[in-house]
Amino acid sequence: MADNFRVIFVELAQDVDSKTVCVNLATKLKTSEEKVALFFKGKPLFAPNNKDKALKQAKLLASLGINCRLQAVSSAAQNSSVSIANSLRDERIFDALDYITSSLIRLEEKLEDLEQRLPEAQLKIPDESVDEWQSDDLMLEEDLVPPKKRSNILLYSLVTTAVILLIVLAVYLVFPNLFSF
C-alpha cells in the first residue's frame, strides 16, 4: 500500500478561465505562474505527502475550480530517486579520488626529479671548506666526525601532510554530515 499521494491535474471546471485560475493559484500558494502553468500541463505542483495533506491540497484546488485526482506514489519510486542521488554522489567522490591520485603521482614525479638534480647541484658548488688563509692545523682533542648524510625529513613530512589532507578530504566527501563547520 502506498504511504504517499500526489495531486495530479485532471481538468478545469466548465465556467473557469485558465488565466484567472493560474493567477489566483499562484497568489494563494505564493509561487510563480510558470509553475502553476506546468501543473496544468501534467507536472506535479506539490511534493508527495500523506493522504490527509494530499486531500487538503485537492480541496484547495477544487475551491479554485480545478479538478484533480490523487495518485499513489510508491516508496520504490522514492527509493529510486534516492539511489540516483547516491550514485551521483559516488561518482563525484570517485572523480575527486581520481584527481587526488593523479596529484599524488605528479608530486612523486617532481620529487624524483628533485632527488636526481640534487647531487648534480652539490657537485657544481665550489668547495668552500678549503680556504687559503686557513693553512694552520686545528688542535682538537677529538677526531672530527664526518657529518651525517642529510635526510629528507622535510620532504617526507610534506608528502605525509599532503596525504593526510587528501584522506581528510575523502572522508569529508564520503561522510559530509560527520563535519559541522
Side-chain angles (χ1 to χ4, degrees), residues 44-167:
L45 183 61
F46 304 106
N49 290 308
N50 59 21
K51 191 171 186 175
D52 293 332
K53 192 163 185 177
L55 286 173
K56 288 179 185 178
Q57 292 168 349
K59 249 187 202 178
L60 169 73
L61 295 173
S63 70
L64 295 172
I66 302 171
N67 295 331
C68 56
R69 64 180 171 86
L70 296 181
Q71 180 183 24
V73 177
S74 67
S75 59
Q78 291 175 346
N79 288 341
S80 68
S81 65
V82 168
S83 69
I84 290 171
N86 285 341
S87 68
L88 289 174
R89 186 195 62 179
D90 290 345
E91 185 177 330
R92 286 186 304 170
I93 290 171
F94 285 126
D95 288 343
L97 289 175
D98 184 39
Y99 176 76
I100 290 168
T101 304
S102 63
S103 296
L104 284 174
I105 290 171
R106 285 193 303 268
L107 279 173
E108 185 179 357
E109 290 172 355
K110 287 187 180 194
L111 287 176
E112 287 176 1
D113 286 345
L114 288 174
E115 285 178 354
Q116 289 175 357
R117 291 181 188 174
L118 185 62
E120 293 173 7
Q122 286 179 348
L123 292 176
K124 291 181 181 177
I125 297 175
D127 192 8
E128 296 176 2
S129 63
V130 178
D131 291 330
E132 295 176 13
W133 62 272
Q134 193 176 19
S135 61
D136 51 4
D137 293 333
L138 294 175
M139 299 288 196
L140 297 176
E141 294 177 349
E142 299 176 5
D143 291 334
L144 293 176
V145 178
K148 294 181 181 178
K149 183 179 179 182
R150 196 179 89 188
S151 65
N152 293 331
I153 293 176
L154 178 64
L155 179 67
Y156 294 133
S157 64
L158 286 174
V159 170
T160 304
T161 304
V163 169
I164 289 172
L165 288 174
L166 292 173
I167 290 171

Side-chain angles (χ1 to χ4, degrees), residues 1-16:
M1 181 170 177
D3 297 328
N4 292 326
F5 294 88
R6 184 181 298 260
V7 179
I8 304 295
F9 173 75
V10 176
E11 64 182 359
L12 292 175
Q14 290 180 358
D15 58 342
V16 178

Side-chain angles (χ1 to χ4, degrees), residues 19 21-23 25-27 30-45:
K19 183 66 176 167
V21 171
C22 184
V23 171
L25 184 59
T27 306
K30 298 177 183 173
T31 187
S32 66
E33 291 181 28
E34 290 82 21
K35 284 187 178 181
V36 175
L38 288 174
F39 174 66
F40 292 152
K41 292 179 181 175
K43 295 249 180 179
L45 183 61

